[in-house]
C-alpha cells in the first residue's frame, strides 16, 4: 500500500540477510514505479499481485501496455501467480495462487484472469494452482504464495481471513486456494508445510483489536498472514519533551530520507518447516540501527 522505499527497504533487507524474499501483493493502486523498485532488488524473490495492483484495470489493454501488464513485466518470472519458481539451493518451490484476489467466493476482475490465464471459474482456478506444483523437484518443500488466504481458517472478525468490516464476521478466504491445498495434501509426492499470504490487515477495521496472523492446521500446515499495515513508521518528528511521534504512510526521496522503522515477517526454516517466525521492525537511517523482534512462533 505504497509504504515502500527502495533505498531504505533495501538497507533493511540487507541487514536481515534473507535467503529468499516473498511479496504478497497490494503494492499500491497500480503503482508501477514502486513495483519497478522492488523488481530491481538484487535478492532472490517471488511475488504475486493483489487486487489493488489491478484496481483500475478490469481488462487488459488491446492497444498497448497498461499498468497491470507493466507490473507483470517488472517481475517477469518472479511473479508466481498460477506459476512456480524453484529454488534448488534452498530445496524450496514457491507455488503461486490466483493473482489479483480480493477474497470471497467470486473471482475479482474475471476478464483479467480469463484473458491471461484461461481460468473462468473457481474449480478451474484450483486445478491450475495444483497443476502448477506438479513439476516441482521431488525433494523440494512446497511454499504456497497467495495474495489472500484459503477458506476454512475461521469466520470471526479477528480470524486470519475473517471479515472485520461486517458485524457478523464471515470467512473471506479463497475457496479455490483451499481446494488446491487439499489436492496437494492428498498427493503424497508433495510436502506442503507453509502457505503465505496477505490482504487481510492485522489492524482490524473499526475495532481496537488485532487479527490472528498465524494458524497451524491439524495437518501441520502453517498458514501465515504478513499484512501488517501500515508497515512503516516515521521516527523523524521529535516533540519538545524529546518523545517521538510516529507517523504512518511514510515515503522518502533522495533529499529527505529520515529515520524510519520498517516491518518484515521473518521465517527461519529447517527442511522447509518453520522453526521460528518473528515480526521484526528494523530502524533505518543513514545506517541500519537496532531491530525489535516479536516472536510469533518458536519450535520448542
Amino acid at each position: 500500500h505504497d509504504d515502500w522505499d527502495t533505498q531504505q527497504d533495501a538497507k533493511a533487507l540487507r541487514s536481515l540477510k534473507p535467503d529468499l524474499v516473498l511479496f504478497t501483493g497490494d503494492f499500491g493502486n497500480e503503482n508501477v514505479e514502486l513495483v519497478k523498485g522492488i523488481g530491481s532488488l538484487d535478492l532472490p524473490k517471488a511475488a504475486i499481485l493483489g487486487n489493488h495492483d489491478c484496481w483500475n484495470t478490469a481488462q487488459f489493454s488491446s492497444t498497448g501496455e497498461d499498468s497491470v501488464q507493466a507490473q507483470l513485466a517488472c517481475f517477469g518470472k518472479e511473479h508466481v501467480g498460477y506459476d512456480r519458481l524453484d529454488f534448488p539451493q534452498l530445496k524450496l518451490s514457491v507455488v503461486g495462487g490466483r493473482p489479483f484476489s480480493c477474497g470471497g467466493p467470486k473471482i475479482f476482475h474475471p476478464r483479467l484472469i480469463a484473458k491471461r490465464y484461461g481460468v473462468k471459474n473457481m474449480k478451474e482456478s484450483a486445478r491450475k494452482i495444483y497443476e502448477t506444483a506438479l513439476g516441482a523437484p521431488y525433494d523440494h518443500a512446497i511454499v504456497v504464495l497467495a495474495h489472500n488466504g484459503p477458506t476454512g481458517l475461521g469466520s470471526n472478525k479477528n480470524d486470519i481471513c475473517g471479515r472485520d468490516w461486517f458485524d457478523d464476521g464471515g470467512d473471506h478466504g479463497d475457496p479455490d486456494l483451499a481446494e488446491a491445498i487439499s489436492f496437494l495434501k492428498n498427493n503424497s509426492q508433495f510436502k506442503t508445510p507453509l502457505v503465505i499470504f496477505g490482504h487481510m490487515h492485522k489492524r482490524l477495521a473499526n475495532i481496537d483489536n488485532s487479527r490472528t496472523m498465524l494458524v497451524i492446521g491439524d495437518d501441520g500446515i502453517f498458514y501465515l498472514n504478513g499484512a501488517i499495515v501500515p508497515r512503516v513508521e516515521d521516527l523523524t518528528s521529535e516533540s519538545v519533551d524529546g518523545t517521538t511521534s510516529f507517523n504512518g504512510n511514510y515515503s522518502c526521496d533522495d533529499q529527505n530520507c529520515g529515520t524510519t522503522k520498517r516491518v518484515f515477517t521473518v521465517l527461519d526454516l529447517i527442511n522447509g518447516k518453520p522453526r521460528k517466525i518473528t515480526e521484526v521492525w528494523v530502524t533505518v537511517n543513514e545506517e541500519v540501527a537496532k531491530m525489535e523482534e516479536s516472536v510469533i512462533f518458536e519450535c520448542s
Side-chain angles (χ1 to χ4, degrees), residues 54-282:
C54 64
W55 196 248
N56 302 307
T57 304
Q59 62 182 10
F60 289 112
S61 170
S62 59
T63 58
E65 185 179 74
D66 54 50
S67 58
V68 176
Q69 291 169 318
Q71 291 173 88
L72 290 167
C74 290
F75 284 125
K77 67 178 182 179
E78 294 173 330
H79 183 263
V80 295
Y82 289 135
D83 209 342
R84 189 188 77 250
L85 195 55
D86 299 326
F87 295 90
Q89 289 183 324
L90 304 176
K91 292 191 175 180
L92 290 177
S93 291
V94 179
V95 172
R98 169 168 45 92
F100 316 127
S101 172
C102 196
K106 296 182 179 180
I107 292 178
F108 186 67
H109 286 351
R111 286 180 290 183
L112 285 180
I113 297 294
K115 178 69 173 178
R116 186 174 183 92
Y117 303 104
V119 170
K120 299 180 179 63
N121 55 57
M122 288 292 188
K123 290 291 184 183
E124 290 181 3
S125 180
R127 179 57 60 176
K128 192 170 184 69
I129 296 167
Y130 170 67
E131 289 176 350
T132 294
L134 293 179
Y138 74 94
D139 59 343
H140 280 207
I142 300 292
V143 176
V144 177
L145 177 62
H147 178 58
N148 188 46
T151 52
L153 300 179
S155 56
N156 293 323
K157 291 181 181 181
N158 65 335
D159 282 331
I160 195 166
C161 293
R163 296 188 301 190
D164 52 308
W165 57 94
F166 286 157
D167 290 340
D168 57 352
D171 187 342
H172 201 60
D174 287 356
D176 52 340
L177 185 61
E179 187 172 4
I181 292 168
S182 178
F183 292 155
L184 289 169
K185 289 193 298 184
N186 290 333
N187 187 332
S188 59
Q189 172 187 344
F190 298 116
K191 297 178 294 183
T192 310
L194 185 59
V195 180
I196 296 175
F197 52 92
H199 188 55
M200 306 295 281
H201 297 182
K202 181 178 180 180
R203 181 183 295 177
L204 300 179
N206 306 316
I207 310 171
D208 186 18
N209 200 354
S210 295
R211 183 179 303 282
T212 297
M213 301 299 276
L214 174 68
V215 171
I216 304 173
D218 294 338
D219 50 16
I221 294 178
F222 283 66
Y223 298 90
L224 179 63
N225 180 349
I228 303 168
V229 180
R231 62 168 296 272
V232 177
E233 293 179 349
D234 180 8
L235 306 184
T236 57
S237 299
E238 296 285 340
S239 65
V240 174
D241 64 3
T243 60
T244 303
S245 62
F246 297 93
N247 305 298
N249 300 320
Y250 178 82
S251 62
C252 84
D253 54 36
D254 291 339
Q255 289 75 42
N256 182 29
C257 281
T259 301
T260 61
K261 289 170 65 177
R262 320 183 83 81
V263 70
F264 302 85
T265 304
V266 179
L267 295 90
D268 295 332
L269 306 180
I270 295 179
N271 297 324
K273 294 183 178 180
R275 183 189 67 84
K276 185 177 182 181
I277 304 173
T278 50
E279 179 182 312
V280 180
W281 288 85
V282 183

Side-chain angles (χ1 to χ4, degrees), residues 141 283 285:
T283 302
N285 44 37

